[in-house]
Amino acid sequence: MIVDCAIYRHGHRTEGPEDLSDALEEARAAGGFVWIGLHEPSEREFDLVTREFGLHPLAVEDALKAHQRPKLEVYDDSLFLVLKPVVYEPESDTVSSGEVMIFIGDGFAVTVRHGEGSPLAAVRHRLEAEPELLDKGPTSVLYAISDAVVDHYLEVATELQTDLEELEAEVFQPETGGSRNTASRIYTFKRQVLAFRRATGPLAVPMTRLAGVGQLGGEVPFVNEKARPFFRDVSDHLMRVNESVDGLDRLVSDILSAHLAQMSVRQNDDMRKISAWAAMAAVPTMIAGIYGMNFEHMPELHWLWAYPVVIAVMAVLEVLLYRLFKRRGWL
């Protein structure tokens, strides 16, 4: 469905005509641009936008089907950018992602949003409050959405860092060293970090191109050259996010290894205790087994002090074994 449609002239909003073709012609004639926002449009709804703005069929297919990696593609009549906004859900400590596709071209910007996360109304209102930035044309829409998405990445990275610190404290508890579900929680957290990485990692190349830095930097069609410093700022923030994600991934792997090592040490301790008690139980069992045999010629059987002596020998051996195992830390 079409969420919003407006014409922007010299950084200010004016309501455009209902017909998209008339809106585009009016915007171009006035030196402005038209911005159309759509949310999970059907193929029939998007077909009208495709015809009026001459969008490339491959990009249209991506915008309709979604499930795309972040990328930047340049076509003859438009520029196509895919972003994956990330939403952190504190109740379940999970990360979910949506998708935002942005088309910009001569006198138009079209945004297509999939998922409930990251609504663009706040971005539009913030951009409308900055006429100087909005006056840069469709490039301002590209920048404002990219900036909002990447800034939210920083917030999600902070939340994940807090969760990781809680996991770390649980694993390194001096008494328990984590519960039975700790390994499952660590693995689930690692999956959340991986989902976060899928959104932030591939976006580095598109932002580098838009910022015009490095070997990939160069002139990008339909992007205002004066907007390069703004995209460099977004690229710097994204670099911080990716560094944070790399750090989270390494730390969670180390925590998982430490937890498994602790579990192995505790299992070894338990096995030592079981072995020690089994050895202590074996001594009286062996002695009792010997004297339980039905032999007639056993001199000790007819000795008056045989029974108390055997019991005393068992007790002394048990005490000696207990002290030996205790000294070695097995008990």
Side-chain angles (χ1 to χ4, degrees), residues 92-110:
S92 57
D93 293 336
T94 57
V95 172
S96 59
S97 62
E99 289 187 39
V100 173
M101 285 82 166
I102 308 170
F103 297 86
I104 66 170
D106 182 16
F108 70 86
V110 178

Side-chain angles (χ1 to χ4, degrees), residues 109-130:
V110 178
T111 55
V112 182
R113 181 168 61 89
H114 290 269
E116 298 300 325
S118 187
L120 300 180
V123 177
R124 188 186 286 261
H125 293 328
R126 181 172 66 86
L127 193 56
E128 290 174 354
E130 301 181 34

Side-chain angles (χ1 to χ4, degrees), residues 49-239:
V49 179
T50 301
R51 291 198 310 269
E52 296 297 340
F53 294 98
L55 304 180
H56 197 280
L58 292 178
V60 171
E61 182 181 0
D62 291 343
L64 288 173
K65 292 185 177 180
H67 303 294
Q68 304 296 316
R69 297 175 73 251
K71 61 182 179 178
L72 176 67
E73 295 182 351
V74 179
Y75 298 102
D76 293 336
D77 299 323
S78 63
L79 185 73
F80 180 57
L81 177 66
V82 178
L83 300 170
K84 294 184 75 69
V86 170
V87 177
Y88 177 80
E89 300 174 3
E91 296 181 357
S92 57
D93 293 336
T94 57
V95 172
S96 59
S97 62
E99 289 187 39
V100 173
M101 285 82 166
I102 308 170
F103 297 86
I104 66 170
D106 182 16
F108 70 86
V110 178
T111 55
V112 182
R113 181 168 61 89
H114 290 269
E116 298 300 325
S118 187
L120 300 180
V123 177
R124 188 186 286 261
H125 293 328
R126 181 172 66 86
L127 193 56
E128 290 174 354
E130 301 181 34
E132 294 183 0
L133 179 59
L134 194 57
D135 193 36
K136 298 185 183 298
T139 303
S140 62
V141 177
L142 192 69
Y143 159 71
I145 297 176
S146 301
D147 183 57
V149 169
V150 172
D151 282 349
H152 192 62
Y153 286 164
L154 291 170
E155 298 175 8
V156 173
T158 302
E159 296 288 348
L160 289 176
Q161 182 65 43
T162 301
D163 289 346
L164 182 62
E165 290 174 357
E166 294 176 358
L167 270 178
E168 188 176 14
E170 180 179 341
V171 168
F172 292 102
Q173 285 180 354
E175 298 178 356
T176 62
S179 63
R180 293 182 178 181
N181 296 326
T182 301
S184 176
R185 288 188 58 197
I186 295 174
Y187 181 73
T188 301
F189 184 83
K190 191 172 181 65
R191 289 184 63 88
Q192 305 307 317
V193 173
L194 179 60
F196 193 26
R197 183 195 290 273
R198 289 197 186 105
T200 64
L203 188 58
V205 173
M207 286 298 108
T208 299
R209 290 184 62 187
L210 293 171
V213 296
Q215 296 180 349
L216 299 175
E219 184 177 352
V220 181
F222 310 108
V223 176
N224 193 321
E225 290 295 322
K226 295 181 180 179
R228 289 272 175 107
F230 295 96
F231 285 110
R232 281 198 290 271
D233 181 66
V234 176
S235 181
D236 289 342
H237 289 179
L238 182 61
M239 186 180 301

